[in-house]
Amino acid sequence: MDELSHEAVREALADERRDEAVEAHLSTCDDCRAFASVLEDVDAQLASLPAFEAPEALVARTRAAVEEREEVAAPSPGALGLFAAIGGGLVAGLGALLGMLLWPVKAALKPKGERKAWAMLVPAVAALALVVVGGVGSFVMVGHESPADSALAVDEVEVEGRAVAYEVPEVSATRGPPPAVTEGDLRRALDGLPADRGGDPSRDGRFGQLADNRRGEHLEQGVVQPLRALGDADDGEVVDEEGERAGPGFFDRTVSTGQGQDAPALRSPTASDGWQDGHADLDALTFRSPTGYWTNTYVPGDPAARALRGALAGDPVALRLAELAEPVGPTWEAPRSGALSLAVEADRRGVDGRSRVRVSVGLRGAAQRAGRRPALTTEVVLDLRRPLGDAAQGRVRALLSSLSRQHDGGDRVGLIVVGPDGGERIGLGAMRFGEVSVALRRAFGDAPDDATPLSLRAGLTRAVEAVGPVDDDAPLGSSMVLLVTPALDGAAARELSPVAHVGALAGITTTVVTLDEAADPSPVERVALAGHGRRRVLARAAGADDLVRDEITAVSRVVARAVRLRIRLAEGVQLVDVLGSRPLDAIESERVREAERSIDRALAARLGITSDRGDDEDGIQIVVPAFYADDAHRVVLDLVVAGPGPVADVQVRFKDLVRLGNGTLTERLVLDRGPAARGPTERAVMVAALGHEVARALRAAAAHLDAGRADAARAALSAGCARVEAASSAVPALTSEPALTRDLSLCQRYREALDAPPGALASSLRYAAHRRLLGDPLGLGPAP
Amino acid sequence: MPTPSSAARSEERPSGPPEAAAVVPLSDRVLLERHARGDADAFARLMKTYANPIYGYLVRSGIRPADRDDLFQQVFEKVHRASLRELPDGAVRPWLFAIAANTVRDAYRRAKVRSIVELDEAPGAAEPSRDAGPDELAERAQELSFLDREIAKLPIEQREALLLCAVEGLAAKDAAEALQVPVNTIKTRVRRARLALAAAAQRRSTLQAREGG
């Protein structure tokens, strides 16, 4: 080997790139092998360099020096006001003096007849005005903070021993001083998880993200206690329970079937609602108030949907069937800058008179990721119940090195080893350069003295507990457990799934990385699904970087938070419905407000985005907790318009995580006078509205199937098909819409499946309904 | 593409003051803001967090004890003045270390040297592992002293990068921000520094082996 090769190898060692070529060189080169060992030693020493302690006297002296400087620093606003008052007075006095001196001269130059007596008052009035202006100016400066000052104001209270900082709202001239933020407010903001219904918010899909964001004290109740209480609970029960609740989570209006079982209401395909001609039966409609808070329909990552998919893991046929369902794509552009774009579209371009119109309010997330991703908290659980081979050790080393390299400011990474010599090897947030080498040496080499036997379940529990309390308001997916294991068997999966599930309900995802390509995917998939995470295989050390990048990317996908949608209908426009949504009652509305304020304050404190929430607005208000990159969503309104003209003004306010500021989008929808004239945009709105009908048919079929009424389920699906076909016959261009073709095919295949229904068909129907409206924005991926 | 039926007036207008702030640890940011508003206690709390890391940075940068106290004071006075002028755009920790790094560079520039190796101080808060025996402790202290000395001998650019990344635990991105260089440059400097330290350690062990032999 020449010198250059030695250098190249050493560079590779320093980069922690121990690929095959490097290993081959090391196996033959004593010198480089010795160097590798020394480099590891150096890294280990660097990782454990002790801290120096600043002498107390020096710290005290420095503080005193700074305080001394502080006293002679910039004058206070009061002092500035005083200077202004003095300055104003001086200017006023000089002005008055000058006026009095010049006036006689000026007056004397004029002819006698033009000398006006009132003119003598001019200098005096000017002087008086100057005095008044100066005085008012100084009063303002002395007595009031500038808005900029108040916008910066940050205060802090203590909630149960925890210091909670929040930004004080700006002082408003019209609203007066902001209300005092009480401990109770903050506790509610931290703990009171918003839900759009009265039940347990963590079990509600629409605010799943907010529920998942719950941290701190609640976590003790929400995660730690359930973890401790987990006895012999079987994860199958948990998943089933989730599957059960998924139906009503999306399906609000029910009618009694008279058979003791509520089934979703499905409009008769023959009943004309003016879909085709826009005029029929308008008088038979009932209208809703276009005001107040409504439920959010954008629920990607909904735990219920994930649980449904989990329930389908054992039935690939039912899962593939559900994955045929897809939402209609956006017809509007992604934002050129900022996090979101807004489009308000109707299902027709023109109307002649009073007509029924479907309107889509579309949001689309930026294709790019947010400039700053949220801080990531990752606890790696390394399964060393059995010793790993050299190759597997190399992969683990590569994975941890990659985590170490790619972690960002504020990220916390920790390592827990499971097995006979188990225990925490790297504390959360303690990872420094070289610590990975140290930790792995202790993991793979001689057992450290503090090692104790740790079971896989205990290790995962410890990881979830450790990750949970770290962050008060972390977005969905920013806290995760990475379980690294050669393979899992069914028993391990049964043991781990409930723990992963409890963590998932609190927003801590569990991703399982297997080191063996031939490992049975089913148990791994089961744990990953219960933990709302992903299943990964790390077959080569070179794949570690991609794996870590993918995980981080998933976390970085939130581009906007606290998205507040306000829809104001124009005069004469009546609201039939907001499809898939419903008005919230007073308690639910308060929860939404609290959730919004909580995000608002948290982002003000963490990202410096000015706090601007807290007031109700007129019109329909929908609050979306988080919006993901490269995703699109439509809120579809069913309206009756009096005629051509303005239909709605829409405003979206959001916390823009791309530009790190408050963003506002506005758009107005106006209908022309004339025929419906449906182009691609208008047809997309129709398809989106029909999507709700199809989803409703799928849920109805699921409910019937659960009740053992296969015929009724078949009828519900037929009704869904008929609905699509009726629309297609009324608007022939719809026949070329791929989404509707898929809908027809989907309903048909489900009808066929009902002849010999697989066990998970009801879950499949519900999951299909979810996908029809929301797709798969979080990348749950195709069926394994 | 606006449709004929919609008078598309989509308009994005970020409201509020210019918002360049990024993710920052809450407490540091809040403390700086409070300090800027005249809260004397806030600065004391900030110092409590950063006094030891900054002091350690000065020690490991090879600043002489005679100059160290002055530089320590200078760093915090600069932090005080800078926070009154403008709060940092990004995280507080890199910002603070940027001030420390600049202060050290200025000191070297004034002294017209590239490194001043003087490490006479044992780490004050060194906490040896519970299981270490006296021999191991002595050996470790010797090793650390050797390592600290070798760090102080590194070229200033490598030393800055190594101290920020390897000792203070800053991410490469934050260290790059603090030192105003690209991230890859930071990575290269840290790699070279580690290689240099490893080479020094290898030379030393070879020498010891010869002497022992």
Side-chain angles (χ1 to χ4, degrees), chain A residues 539-572:
Chain A
R540 299 175 302 117
D545 279 347
D546 288 343
L547 191 151
V548 170
R549 198 177 303 114
D550 285 353
E551 288 296 318
I552 290 175
T553 301
V555 173
S556 312
R557 289 201 56 190
V558 177
V559 289
R561 299 204 69 199
V563 179
R564 170 179 272 267
L565 195 59
R566 182 173 61 151
I567 304 164
R568 285 181 298 176
L569 301 186
E571 199 176 338

Side-chain angles (χ1 to χ4, degrees), chain A residues 14 43 154 432 659 661 670, chain B residues 5 14 19 33 37 167 191 194:
Chain A
D43 284 344
V154 175
R432 294 194 300 182
R659 294 166 53 161
V670 180
Chain B
S5 60
E19 286 145 343
E33 285 174 353
R37 289 161 52 204
V167 180
R191 187 176 62 233
R194 288 168 56 230

